[in-house]
Amino acid sequence: MSPDLPPVVPSVTAELVEALSPRLRKRLDAGITKLLARPVARDGDTVRIAVDDETDVVLHAPGGTVTGADAIHCGCLLAPDCLHRAAAASAAPVADAAEAAGAAREETVTRETAPTPTGGVRPAEAETATADQRAAARTVFDAAAAVLEAGTDGAGAVLQAELLHAAHTARLAGLPRASAAAISVVTGVRAARSADPGYRLADLAGALVDVLGVAHRLPHATGPDLTELRGTVRQPYRPDGSLRLYGLFSEPVLTATGYAGAVTWTADAHGRLYTVSDVAPGGPARATGAADRAVRIGDTSLTHRELSRAGLAVSGATVSPAGRLGAGAGVRAVRAPGVSWRSEPLDRLWAVPAAEQVARALNGGQDLLFLEVTVTGTVRETTGDCLLADCAGVALRLATAHDDPSLPYRDNLRLLAAARGRLLRIVARLAPGPLPRALLLAAEHPTDPAARTDLGLDRLQHADLPTGAAAPPAAVVPTGDEAPLHLLRRRVHQAVPGGRGVLALTASGSGDGVRLRRLGLATAGDLLDALHAAAADRSRDPFGRLLPADTAHFARSWLAAALYTDTVERALCANAWGATTTEAPATALAPSTAR
């Protein structure tokens, strides 16, 4: 996937790939690889790819997005049914990827009334799914199951296009949540296949759980559960009057879906969080440069970096349910004084006990943690070094929020290790797991508590450290990931890149199910055995030939194991922090009903 190309809506990619002959479909992945290596030139809304010295593929993206198949032209002799048009669409970011990943651009139209769910169905009428919605959900499930069957290693452009087509069908049927989840899987698969540094196996596994879970539950859901599974097209922006906001910190955005920019977090006098974002198609350069661009709200000339330490007075504000500030024509904003983290009203964010903050995040609320910690050292894990810190008696591990080398997260974390023994206020994002763990986003300056450092944008220097300070060597200790549950989790994760085949090879003789039951995790053992059995289940016809695999059976078995793992890990995370969580949704499939 190339961030140099404009986003293409899913239906366009699906249409162009579907129009290819079987012979060209087999060559599509190779064609994408060749096209990604060719020069790209942009002139306004037009992007040109030089296929060779005499042939160009031209993408017209008025408004920044390719919305129709006729907006992609090729000068080769086989056009319009050539491989190049489908390859260009498949190589470009998916137009809905930002919305699916929660990084959509700011809405500029203010909506005065509450939205009606997609498809014109009001909540009072949303008792059962329509026939079209049930059919669309089955289409999404089958397409996602085919991707899981093949794994990212085998899920080429044709399988991706089939899932994009299913996403488009779901959107037309009034199922935006299923559509967005399917698009997230496609962008994750593309990131995995292109070795994107922002790719995370756990994120793609989570996206597969979401799309399969929604598509599996939706045909049988009723009432409020159905309304939630349907979702809404976009988050509406509601009028919120006048706001007095105080800058907290800024973080870069660099996604595996080809979007980049910055998000600045602010808070009002009551501690409610608001964000101002500038996210658009781009790569690392845009992520590092967006902090010095002016925020897009009102007439203010504040940059994101400046707003993170200053304040903002907003009139005519519009706000999404997630706290994103709108930038409509009626919004006015001017610069106002900021305050330090240890002054009111920001000080109250750190007054909330850590366990209460973690419980809020695990129960579906804001996942930012405002913690006061004492740095105690570093620990070496398989994914890199982490800071060790004491947080009110909890041994906390602080990891980098992003591993891209263009962002200063990792360098800053190494330098902060030299502040051993210092009491620092930090902002981090909860990383659920069996040990207390969070992703470090911002911290007080090591020698000046009145200042703070945005760890993804600012670079600490040795001169910023306490005199004579030196980072201690990283201790090599167990990561805490050796709890028995990892025996199930690793099989769930192995299926994502390797598909059914990798689990079929390990199905016999592993003994992990027996070990799980011996250690008291009988359900986990049963789920693992059911997953292995589904992977190895290939029937033959009377002539001994293999029959087509039951992809739905394998997908349901995998989904049951993944949901169980997520639920138990959520409970382990709550226990590690001393937090209390609400009961998890009953979405898991028991081994006996996985088929």
Side-chain angles (χ1 to χ4, degrees), residues 90 155 228 255 297 322 394 425 483 494 514 523 527 539:
S90 300
E228 177 190 357
T255 74
I297 177 170
V394 173
R425 284 190 171 182
Q494 280 178 347
V514 174
T523 302
L527 286 167
S539 302

Side-chain angles (χ1 to χ4, degrees), residues 45-405:
D45 291 334
T46 301
V47 176
R48 191 177 301 273
I49 308 171
V51 176
D52 54 39
D53 293 340
E54 299 179 352
T55 305
D56 290 343
V57 176
V58 180
L59 295 87
H60 297 288
T65 301
V66 176
T67 58
D70 57 353
I72 303 179
H73 303 275
C74 181
C76 75
L77 295 177
L78 296 179
D81 299 323
C82 63
L83 181 70
H84 303 129
R85 297 173 71 221
S90 300
V94 184
D96 289 347
E99 181 179 340
R105 298 187 190 185
E106 293 301 325
E107 178 66 40
T108 58
V109 179
T110 301
R111 287 170 172 77
E112 300 294 339
T113 59
T116 298
T118 304
V121 182
R122 295 186 179 276
E125 304 166 356
E127 297 301 327
T128 60
T130 66
D132 287 345
Q133 289 175 337
R134 291 193 295 271
R138 285 192 293 270
T139 300
V140 170
F141 186 93
D142 291 343
V147 169
L148 178 64
E149 172 89 9
T152 57
D153 295 341
V158 173
L159 283 180
Q160 294 170 30
E162 291 174 357
L163 187 50
L164 289 178
H165 177 74
H168 179 61
T169 301
R171 185 169 289 275
L172 293 179
L175 303 177
R177 180 177 172 185
S179 176
I183 291 170
S184 290
V185 170
V186 172
T187 53
V189 168
R190 290 182 179 181
R193 292 174 62 86
S194 63
D196 190 302
Y199 166 71
R200 296 291 182 275
L201 173 60
D203 292 343
L204 180 53
L208 280 165
V209 168
D210 191 22
V211 69
L212 289 171
V214 169
H216 173 79
R217 294 168 55 201
L218 195 142
H220 315 287
T222 59
D225 188 37
L226 176 60
T227 301
E228 177 190 357
L229 291 171
R230 279 177 172 145
T232 55
V233 174
R234 60 171 60 87
Q235 291 186 328
Y237 281 69
R238 304 185 307 270
D240 206 8
S242 298
L243 298 172
R244 173 66 168 93
L245 304 176
Y246 302 85
L248 273 167
F249 74 101
S250 290
E251 62 173 319
V253 174
L254 183 57
T255 74
T257 62
Y259 285 76
V263 173
T264 298
W265 293 80
T266 65
D268 65 10
H270 304 289
R272 182 185 175 188
L273 301 183
Y274 297 80
T275 59
V276 180
S277 66
D278 180 1
V279 178
R286 195 178 197 287
T288 55
D292 295 313
R293 296 163 61 99
V295 298
R296 295 186 300 153
I297 177 170
D299 300 323
T300 179
S301 59
L302 278 172
T303 66
H304 284 270
R305 194 185 304 272
E306 291 170 337
L307 177 57
S308 69
R309 292 161 176 81
L312 204 63
V314 186
S315 61
T318 58
V319 185
S320 78
R324 290 197 295 270
L325 290 171
V331 179
R332 298 289 182 267
V334 296
R335 180 172 186 157
V339 298
S340 74
W341 283 356
R342 294 184 178 269
S343 301
E344 287 292 345
L346 299 185
D347 180 68
R348 68 184 59 191
L349 295 171
W350 279 265
V352 180
E356 186 176 327
Q357 297 186 52
V358 171
R360 176 190 63 205
L362 292 176
N363 290 332
Q366 177 57 249
D367 63 353
L368 288 186
L369 304 179
F370 301 89
L371 307 174
E372 197 163 68
V373 303
T374 301
V375 178
T376 58
T378 57
V379 61
R380 182 159 298 154
E381 298 182 346
T382 55
T383 55
D385 291 352
C386 290
L387 276 183
L388 290 178
D390 177 81
C391 178
V394 173
L396 173 63
R397 297 181 183 217
L398 297 170
T400 56
H402 205 293
D403 289 329
D404 192 285

